[in-house]
Amino acid sequence: MSKVRVYEVAKQLDISSKNIMDKLKEYGFEVHSHMSTLEDNEAALIMNYYKEVNKQTENKPQEVTPQENPKKVVEKNSNKRHGDIIETKNNTPQPIIEQTAPIEQEIKEVKIIQVATSIAIKDLAQKLEVSSTEIIKRLMKKGRIVSINQEIDFDLAAKVAEEFDVLIEAEEERDLMEEVFGEVQDDEEQLVEKPPVVVVMGHVDHGKTSLLDAIRSTSVTAKEAGGITQHIGASSISVNGKKITFLDTPGHEAFTAMRMRGAQVTDIAILVVAADDGVMPQTIEAINHAKAANVQIIVAMNKMDKQGANPDRVKQELADQGLLVEDWGGDIICVPVSAIKREGLDTLLEMVLLVAEMSDLKANPNRKSRGTIIEAQLDKGRGPVATVLIQSGTLKIGDPIVAGVAYGRIRAMVDDKGRAVKKAGPSTPVEILGLSEVPTAGDMFYVSNSDKQARQVAEKIKAQGRVQLIGQTPQKVSLDDLFTQIQEGKMKELNIVIKADVQGSVEAVRQSLERLSNDEVRIRTLHGGVGTITESDVMLASASGAIIIGFNVRPEAATKAIADAEQVDIRLYRVIYNAIEDIKAAMKGMLDPEYVEKVIGHALIRQTFKVSGVGTVGGAYVVDGKIVRNAGVRIIRDGIVVYEGHLTSLKRFKDDAKEVNTNYECGVMFERFNDLKEDDTVEAFVMQEIPR
C-alpha cells in the first residue's frame, strides 16, 4: 500500500496542513507533523470530505435562521464530530464547516536529506544549512546537553530536522570496503579460465575428510580431535593438467557458519552421503547452504564398500530434498565412491572438471587482487597468519592489503604444500604473513593503493565496530525503565569469554553456545578472540562474572594463578560436544527451579472444638498418607476447596507433632481459618522440585 504525506494532501486540496492535521485528529488518526505519512484509505477519507464540503458550499451555502448566527450553529453542534451532517432550516444536509481556521495558500517546499544511523552535531548543521549553535539550543530545550562534535542518534536528528521543515531519511548502509574499492567490471578479453573451487559438504562421519585424503593422498583425519574436522582447510590438486581447489568444511552441526562461508566462496559443492546411512540433518543443511550460494551440486555416494550400502534409498531421500539424480531423470550428477578402497575417485574428478567447463568459470588475473579469508590464527613464531582464497587478480609479495580490521604488507606467502611462493592467481589458496592482527574468517580482503590507504580503511572499520559495540552494551537501570524491566521479567545472563586457536572456531563456538539461550537464561558472549587465554581475558571475566571457554588453547601458568585468585572459572575443550554439554549443565544450575505439587495425605475432620482466645480446633483422622506440620493444606467441602493455606498447629494428644501417619488421630488448627465443619476433608501437599 502506497503512502502520502500530510503536506502533499494539503497541497492538492489547497488547504493548510494544520487544517488537515486537525481534521485527522478529530477522526482519531495520529499525526504529529506535516511530514507524517498517511495510508491510502486515510488520505482518501480526508480528500473526499473536503471535496464534499466544497461541493455543498458551491451549490447551496449553509442557511442560518435569523435567531442564530454561524458561530452559534457551530456551538450548538459542538458535540458532533467535525464533518457530521446537520439539518438546517430547509432540511438540506450540510456539513459543519469550521469558520475560524484561515486557509493558507502557500505551501512550503520540504527539503529531504539522508543521514546515517548516527550523526555529529556539526555534520547535521551542515546538512540542514543552519548553525551548530542553533541545533545545540534546540536540543537544550529538549533537555539534552551536547557539544558540537557529539553524535546523536537518527531519531533525535529527525526530531531536530522537523523543526527546520526538513525530512530525514536513513542512508542506505554500504559496505565500507566496497565503497572504497568498488566492484571493477572486467572486459571480456581480460578474462581467462580459472580453476574451480570445490567445497566438500555433508553429515558428520560420512567420510568427507577421508574422501579428500584419498584424493590428495594425505592424512588429515588423524590430526583432528575425535576424528572430526575442526577447521576449514584448502588445497589444490592437478587432474589431467587442470587444477582443482578443494575446501574441506567441518561436518559438525555446530560449524554451520563455517560451512555456509565455505559454500559462498565456491563454484561446485560435492555433497558426501554415506550409502549405508543416507540423508541426515546436516546433509539437509549442506544442501540448503549450497542452494543458497547458488553452486552446482555433485553427490558423492561414499562407503559403497560397506555391507549395508543402499544406493536406491539414498537417491530416494535425495529426491525428497529436491535433488533428482541423473539416472532417475534429473540433472544432479551422482558418483558412487569408496574413500577407503579409492574407488570411483577418477570419475568424481572428471565430473568436477565437466561441471566446471559447463559453468565457464573465468577471472581476470591482471588486476589488483581480492578474495576471502578462509581461516586465520595467531602463530607464536610468525604472528598473525591468514589462509586466503584469491577470487580475482594476482596476489604478490609486497602488496598492501586490508581485511576487516587487519591491514599490512604481505611479507611471505606459502601454498598448500608448504612451499614459499611469490605470487598466486585466481582460485589459489595461500597462507599470508604480514598482517597487523588476526582477521575474521569470512572477511573479504582487498589489495589497496598504498599502506596508508589500507591502514585508514582498517581504522574506519575498527571505529565502526566500536560504535556498534557501545550501542549494544547494556545500559544501567534507571528509574524510567526499571518498571519496564520488571514487567519483562528478570532475565538471567550467563556471560562467556571465548578463546580459540583459530578465528573460525571462535565464531562456531559462539553461535553454538548462544543458540542454547532460552526465555529464562541468555548466553552472552562478551569477547571472542584468537590465541592463548591472557590476563586481560581473566580480568574481563572477573569484572563481568563470566566464565572462560578455551577451545584448543591453554592458559599460561601466571594466567591460571590470576584466574584462581580472581575465582574465574576456565573451561578447556578440544571437541565442541563437551563444551555444549557443560554449558547446558551450567544453565540448568542457573534456572529458577520448577516445582510440581505432590499430595502427601488426607485427613477427615470428625469433630470441632472452639477454644476461647485461640480459635477452632479440628479433631481429625488421617485417612491416607500423612499430615505434616510444615506442609501446605487445603480444606475440601463437598468437592469444593474452601480454604488453602498452612497449619498453625498439629498435635498428637497434647503434644506437638511433626507429622501424623495413616490411621492415627490428631488435632489441627489452620492459619486464619476457623470456619471448620465436621466431615471436611483436609488435603496435605508439598511443592516438590523437579530436576531440569
Side-chain angles (χ1 to χ4, degrees):
M1 184 180 285
S2 61
K3 294 185 177 181
V4 64
R5 300 194 185 277
V6 169
Y7 80 89
E8 293 172 333
V9 175
K11 192 172 182 180
Q12 287 184 44
L13 294 171
D14 198 19
I15 294 173
S16 74
S17 297
K18 183 180 181 303
N19 284 0
I20 299 287
M21 289 168 60
D22 290 343
K23 181 57 58 185
L24 285 164
K25 286 176 182 175
E26 285 186 25
Y27 281 146
F29 299 120
E30 282 195 24
V31 285
H32 303 291
S33 73
H34 60 286
M35 298 306 300
S36 298
T37 54
L38 305 177
E39 301 288 351
D40 279 348
N41 60 337
E42 296 171 359
L45 179 68
I46 201 71
M47 292 184 80
N48 288 339
Y49 166 74
Y50 276 106
K51 283 177 182 175
E52 185 64 28
V53 168
N54 292 337
K55 183 174 158 189
Q56 295 281 0
T57 306
E58 288 170 8
N59 296 339
K60 196 171 285 188
Q62 182 177 344
E63 295 182 27
V64 182
T65 60
Q67 294 82 7
E68 295 180 310
N69 60 28
K71 184 178 179 183
K72 288 185 178 177
V73 172
V74 175
E75 289 171 354
K76 185 170 131 183
N77 294 282
S78 61
N79 62 325
K80 298 193 179 184
R81 286 167 63 94
H82 203 56
D84 288 348
I85 303 300
I86 63 169
E87 296 294 326
T88 56
K89 189 171 74 172
N90 60 357
N91 295 327
T92 304
Q94 295 289 340
I96 301 173
I97 302 173
E98 191 175 89
Q99 301 293 329
T100 56
I103 295 179
E104 297 176 11
Q105 297 297 332
E106 292 186 16
I107 304 296
K108 288 183 180 179
E109 288 296 324
V110 175
K111 183 181 176 182
I112 300 175
I113 62 172
Q114 290 189 333
V115 301
T117 51
S118 64
I119 186 170
I121 297 295
K122 63 179 181 181
D123 296 331
L124 180 61
Q126 190 175 355
K127 284 180 176 283
L128 295 176
E129 298 177 357
V130 299
S131 69
S132 300
T133 309
E134 187 61 32
I135 292 179
I136 291 170
K137 282 180 184 176
R138 302 285 177 112
L139 287 170
M140 285 176 71
K141 289 179 182 177
K142 297 178 185 293
R144 296 288 297 269
I145 308 298
V146 294
S147 64
I148 191 170
N149 293 314
Q150 190 170 331
E151 293 202 349
I152 59 174
D153 62 26
F154 179 85
D155 292 335
L156 187 56
K159 288 177 183 175
V160 172
E162 267 190 21
E163 296 184 14
F164 295 98
D165 293 328
V166 176
L167 175 66
I168 281 186
E169 291 181 349
E171 265 181 10
E172 186 179 342
E173 290 189 18
R174 294 187 61 190
D175 183 82
L176 187 58
M177 291 287 207
E178 288 297 330
E179 197 172 319
V180 174
F181 299 105
E183 182 59 54
V184 180
Q185 293 297 325
D186 297 307
D187 294 332
E188 194 66 33
E189 58 269 18
Q190 294 177 314
L191 300 176
V192 298
E193 185 180 347
K194 76 178 184 77
V197 179
V198 181
V199 64
V200 181
M201 309 172 84
H203 191 73
V204 65
D205 200 33
H206 274 201
K208 299 180 302 301
T209 308
S210 300
L211 182 63
L212 272 174
D213 288 348
I215 292 172
R216 297 178 304 198
S217 297
T218 59
S219 181
V220 177
T221 308
K223 301 175 188 175
E224 300 289 354
I228 303 170
T229 305
Q230 304 285 339
H231 312 137
I232 288 183
S235 58
S236 291
I237 65 164
S238 186
V239 181
N240 301 330
K242 292 189 174 183
K243 282 190 174 183
I244 301 174
T245 298
F246 280 96
L247 296 183
D248 180 23
T249 57
H252 190 289
E253 64 89 17
F255 288 73
T256 298
M258 295 172 72
R259 184 162 60 240
M260 182 68 177
R261 203 163 55 236
Q264 285 174 328
V265 298
T266 53
D267 308 306
I268 298 169
I270 292 180
L271 181 68
V272 179
V273 187
D276 63 332
D277 204 9
V279 173
M280 302 298 284
Q282 287 157 4
T283 316
I284 297 169
E285 284 181 24
I287 292 169
N288 293 336
H289 290 322
K291 286 181 176 178
N294 197 26
V295 298
Q296 294 282 342
I297 297 175
I298 297 174
V299 176
M301 201 181 302
N302 194 21
K303 303 188 181 182
M304 288 296 291
D305 56 300
K306 280 207 167 185
Q307 188 76 28
N310 188 346
D312 286 336
R313 178 173 73 97
V314 174
K315 291 175 183 178
Q316 178 60 57
E317 290 174 350
L318 288 169
D320 294 340
Q321 298 301 322
L323 297 183
L324 197 61
V325 298
E326 284 183 329
D327 52 346
W328 280 32
D331 56 358
I332 299 296
I333 296 171
C334 181
V335 183
V337 297
S338 171
I340 300 296
K341 294 191 174 182
R342 297 175 181 265
E343 294 174 351
L345 303 185
D346 292 339
T347 306
L348 180 63
L349 294 174
E350 284 175 18
M351 291 299 103
V352 169
L353 292 175
L354 175 64
V355 171
E357 186 181 330
M358 297 297 293
S359 301
D360 194 25
L361 304 172
K362 291 184 177 180
N364 178 11
N366 302 312
R367 56 169 289 183
K368 285 179 180 173
S369 183
R370 63 172 60 193
T372 305
I373 306 291
I374 299 300
E375 195 47 88
Q377 62 189 38
L378 188 64
D379 189 278
K380 211 166 190 178
R382 299 185 296 168
V385 179
T387 304
V388 303
L389 179 68
I390 299 157
Q391 289 173 287
S392 64
T394 300
L395 191 64
K396 300 180 288 292
I397 287 180
D399 280 347
I401 74 164
V402 57
V405 298
Y407 65 93
R409 188 177 284 272
I410 296 178
R411 290 191 285 106
M413 284 198 298
V414 181
D415 68 7
D416 59 299
K417 308 294 189 300
R419 299 171 302 200
V421 293
K422 291 186 176 179
K423 61 181 182 179
S427 297
T428 306
V430 288
E431 266 191 354
I432 61 170
L433 280 71
L435 291 172
S436 60
E437 57 186 276
V438 179
T440 302
D443 277 351
M444 289 288 290
F445 78 82
Y446 300 82
V447 171
S448 62
N449 296 324
S450 63
D451 292 343
K452 183 180 177 182
Q453 186 190 36
R455 185 177 66 253
Q456 286 174 341
V457 172
E459 285 174 354
K460 278 186 179 178
I461 292 172
K462 197 176 287 187
Q464 277 184 353
R466 277 198 297 267
V467 170
Q468 289 174 357
L469 185 63
I470 290 167
Q472 292 167 3
T473 302
Q475 301 299 313
K476 291 182 179 178
V477 178
S478 68
L479 290 176
D480 291 331
D481 62 8
L482 180 62
F483 180 74
T484 306
Q485 291 197 19
I486 292 171
Q487 289 292 92
E488 291 173 352
K490 291 181 180 178
M491 176 180 277
K492 295 180 181 177
E493 286 188 338
L494 176 62
N495 294 327
I496 57 174
V497 173
I498 300 171
K499 294 302 286 287
D501 55 342
V502 293
Q503 183 65 40
S505 295
V506 173
E507 190 64 20
V509 173
R510 183 186 68 79
Q511 290 196 5
S512 299
L513 297 182
E514 288 184 356
R515 266 206 305 270
L516 298 175
S517 297
N518 54 40
D519 293 339
E520 294 173 300
V521 176
R522 181 167 75 97
I523 294 182
R524 178 166 162 253
T525 305
L526 298 179
H527 171 66
V530 173
T532 187
I533 298 166
T534 63
E535 291 180 18
S536 62
D537 297 325
V538 172
M539 298 315 293
L540 172 62
S542 175
S544 54
I547 63 170
I548 298 176
I549 303 294
F551 193 70
N552 284 339
V553 295
R554 309 285 301 181
E556 294 176 354
T559 305
K560 187 73 173 71
I562 294 171
D564 292 341
E566 295 289 333
Q567 296 183 333
V568 171
D569 188 11
I570 298 179
R571 299 298 179 107
L572 305 174
Y573 303 95
R574 291 196 68 220
V575 177
I576 201 168
Y577 294 117
N578 301 336
I580 293 172
E581 289 304 315
D582 279 6
I583 295 297
K584 277 183 181 177
M587 286 176 66
K588 288 173 184 175
M590 290 181 63
L591 291 173
D592 291 326
E594 275 187 7
Y595 293 91
V596 63
E597 180 184 294
K598 182 182 178 183
V599 175
I600 59 172
H602 293 90
L604 185 67
I605 301 295
R606 288 183 166 178
Q607 202 170 358
T608 62
F609 308 91
K610 293 196 183 293
V611 179
S612 178
V614 177
T616 304
V617 177
Y621 175 78
V622 182
V623 179
D624 60 67
K626 60 184 178 181
I627 304 297
V628 181
R629 184 167 55 189
N630 58 1
V633 290
R634 58 175 65 94
I635 297 173
I636 302 168
R637 186 177 298 157
D638 299 327
I640 297 171
V641 177
V642 295
Y643 169 80
E644 183 168 328
H646 295 89
L647 289 169
T648 57
S649 176
L650 176 66
K651 290 184 182 287
R652 176 90 175 116
F653 299 109
K654 292 184 178 182
D655 301 319
D656 289 327
K658 287 185 178 179
E659 63 181 49
V660 179
N661 291 307
T662 310
N663 299 328
Y664 285 93
E665 292 184 339
C666 58
V668 291
M669 284 188 65
F670 301 92
E671 186 179 27
R672 296 180 184 176
F673 184 78
N674 291 309
D675 185 26
L676 200 60
K677 299 185 184 302
E678 291 180 8
D679 297 324
D680 282 351
T681 298
V682 179
E683 186 177 76
F685 62 93
V686 293
M687 299 305 291
Q688 194 171 57
E689 184 178 342
I690 59 172
R692 288 278 190 173

